[in-house]
Amino acid sequence: MVLAAPACGNSSPEQAAEPVGAVSAAATAERIYAAEGDLTLSFETLGTFEQRDGVRALILHATANRYLRNVFTYVPDDAFGEAHIISERRLEVVLKEGHELNTVLSGLPLFVTVDTFTGTPNHYTARIEVAPRFYDFRGSSAVWVEENVTPYYVVNGGDWLVYRGGVDAQADHLSVTAPNGAPTVSRVDADSFQFEWRYPALYQAMDPHTVPLTFTAALTAGGTAQKTGRLVARVTSLALTTGDAYEVWPSASCQLSTYDCIQDHPAGAADLSACGTYRQVTRCLFSDACEVSPPQPLSLTAIDASPLEPARDAWNTGSNNGAWHGLTSLTAFRTPVCPSSPVTLQGVVAKVAEQDQFFPGPAGGTYTNRAGLSQSILFSSNYYGDGAALLQAIDAFAGGGEVQAWLYTAEEPCHNCHTFDQRAVLYYPATRKVIVLDGYTGYDS
């Protein structure tokens, strides 16, 4: 089965090859260790697949320096997977193909209770993370395959988990082939591609782990280059404690940067990969704002408004000797995620005035809503500029939906002409974004 990013390329002589079996340092680690009290525990990093109870399962092997009395696996608040003692000092963790394997590969840590017969103390908890990783790369150095495969939140029907990797290659076309579980491939930019699986195909690509995937690039300079790599499930982290696992490793909370990133996307956005990993995003999807941040008084925090510069430049074009216009600045801010009192447009405008000593008195402006924007010279299409296109760009940046506006126009002294100070403050309650426009218009008498 082959899935590829469409383009064309020619066959060519073989490209310079990397040493056979060359892998990154992280992928070459065969065991990972942790020690606490009298216990030293190590896991083989490479998981293998076996048939257990009539289904395929990922098997992880571990070794202790003490005789084992009991082992047990769980995730927060729920038994999960299985653990077995297979000899006096060796244990295995079993994750069945399907829900168990997908859950752990998507970034949920797994806890392993380990009780020993000897030593003080004799009750421990290990925390492991397992992730899809490439290793055992062979072939041309002209194709660079990232070792990591990362889970992201990307909705497709009833499935919202995707596993995504990357390839760097100066190529017009890239294909990835495998006996089973070939990923879909798409171009990112001139010299990079991404490939991705939904879980069923990811599992097929990993089991058996001895079968490599083949990456074939049609190089921009001519010819082709090829690399192979094996996709496996690896233990990527291991920690050990004698304390309460829930206190030592509390469940991660929603981070403000991720929360804000999600708010930046339109409601129902399918691809939230820009906001973090799958687990980072899902922690925030249903979080209450005041769980993310404690209550705070109204303030305006500057955010990057550079994506609006093309729209500002477009509005500024078209001045002539008889009429002129321009936006001297277009800045953006954000209000607190959990305000201690309701945010009003009047309060927002007052804060803008506090930060800008040249800002006109708020009482001189007009408070309105989206319908009123059509009457503004900044946001309507007229002989000065395409205000409708400017508003469309601001809506896209701020997330759209309800917008509250303060508009200001005041004539300023001008010999044999008329010139006007044009200001606007737009507040988008749903995303907490504030856009401040400072401009001018004028014409000859």
Side-chain angles (χ1 to χ4, degrees):
M1 181 179 181
V2 182
L3 293 167
C8 57
N10 300 317
S11 297
S12 83
E14 221 177 89
Q15 302 297 311
E18 293 177 348
V20 171
V23 294
S24 71
T28 57
E30 295 182 356
R31 301 194 75 89
I32 189 168
Y33 294 81
E36 178 78 6
D38 286 342
L39 179 65
T40 298
L41 185 69
S42 68
F43 271 81
E44 296 176 8
T45 60
L46 178 60
T48 58
F49 286 93
E50 299 179 13
Q51 197 77 6
R52 295 292 180 92
D53 299 327
V55 298
R56 298 293 285 176
L58 177 70
I59 312 299
L60 307 172
H61 292 99
T63 302
N65 67 333
R66 296 284 172 178
Y67 290 140
L68 300 172
R69 181 168 57 87
N70 179 62
V71 292
F72 178 75
T73 54
Y74 64 101
V75 294
D77 301 321
D78 194 13
F80 201 85
E82 298 176 9
H84 308 131
I85 296 173
I86 54 178
S87 70
E88 292 175 331
R89 298 185 180 184
R90 298 183 66 236
L91 66 94
E92 66 177 15
V93 172
V94 180
L95 296 170
K96 293 180 179 178
E97 192 277 313
H99 170 68
E100 289 183 0
L101 180 59
N102 191 25
T103 298
V104 173
L105 291 179
S106 70
L108 188 67
L110 183 68
F111 294 156
V112 185
T113 295
V114 179
D115 295 330
T116 62
F117 280 108
T118 60
T120 303
N122 58 11
H123 177 77
Y124 301 85
T125 303
R127 178 185 185 274
I128 64 172
E129 292 178 293
V130 183
R133 291 289 187 265
F134 275 102
Y135 90 120
D136 192 24
F137 294 117
R138 302 166 185 254
S140 172
S141 59
V143 179
W144 177 264
V145 182
E146 294 177 6
E147 177 190 331
N148 290 3
V149 173
T150 305
Y152 290 111
Y153 188 97
V154 181
V155 177
N156 181 18
D159 190 358
W160 47 85
L161 170 60
V162 70
Y163 293 89
R164 185 174 289 170
V167 174
D168 290 336
Q170 295 282 347
D172 296 324
H173 166 74
L174 176 75
S175 66
V176 185
T177 59
N180 292 291
T184 58
V185 183
S186 59
R187 178 180 289 280
V188 176
D189 54 35
D191 59 358
S192 62
F193 299 81
Q194 71 180 20
F195 53 92
E196 62 185 38
W197 300 267
R198 297 292 168 171
Y199 169 75
L202 177 84
Y203 161 69
Q204 291 175 349
M206 287 194 299
D207 183 14
H209 71 276
T210 54
V211 178
L213 285 81
T214 301
F215 298 81
T216 304
L219 302 178
T220 304
T224 61
Q226 192 172 87
K227 175 165 284 184
T228 63
R230 290 194 276 164
L231 183 65
V232 298
R234 278 199 178 276
V235 180
T236 58
S237 75
L238 168 64
L240 193 61
T241 185
T242 57
D244 185 323
Y246 295 142
E247 293 180 359
V248 176
W249 304 300
S251 296
S253 59
C254 171
Q255 297 301 301
L256 180 58
S257 59
T258 302
Y259 184 90
D260 280 344
C261 178
I262 294 171
Q263 296 299 306
D264 286 344
H265 286 70
D271 189 341
L272 297 179
S273 58
C275 300
T277 65
Y278 174 77
R279 292 287 167 183
Q280 289 170 335
V281 168
T282 53
R283 291 183 200 118
C284 294
L285 286 178
F286 305 105
S287 292
D288 180 83
C290 293
E291 295 174 351
V292 179
S293 174
Q296 295 176 328
L298 178 60
S299 62
L300 298 180
T301 302
I303 60 176
D304 180 20
S306 60
L308 292 174
E309 282 302 295
R312 185 176 77 90
D313 291 341
W315 194 87
N316 285 346
T317 59
S319 292
N320 55 57
N321 292 332
W324 52 89
H325 64 279
L327 283 173
T328 54
S329 68
L330 201 165
T331 53
F333 304 88
R334 200 164 220 147
T335 62
V337 64
C338 178
S340 53
S341 59
V343 176
T344 65
L345 177 59
Q346 289 80 357
V348 168
V349 175
K351 281 295 178 183
V352 173
E354 285 179 15
Q355 297 181 5
D356 181 358
Q357 61 177 325
F358 300 107
F359 195 81
T366 300
Y367 293 92
T368 186
N369 54 22
R370 183 174 291 278
L373 294 181
S374 63
Q375 307 304 314
S376 167
I377 202 165
L378 293 175
F379 303 115
S380 59
S381 296
N382 50 62
Y383 52 88
Y384 286 119
D386 188 349
L390 175 64
L391 180 58
Q392 185 178 29
I394 293 174
D395 274 343
F397 173 81
E402 179 192 358
V403 58
Q404 302 171 14
W406 176 88
L407 305 175
Y408 174 88
T409 299
E411 188 168 6
E412 297 184 330
C414 182
H415 183 64
N416 293 328
C417 64
H418 298 273
T419 187
F420 300 87
D421 184 13
Q422 304 285 354
R423 309 274 186 137
V425 176
L426 305 184
Y427 171 51
Y428 290 78
T431 59
R432 314 184 335 272
K433 285 189 175 180
V434 176
I435 313 299
V436 180
L437 300 90
D438 182 0
Y440 58 88
T441 57
Y443 58 90
D444 286 333
S445 297

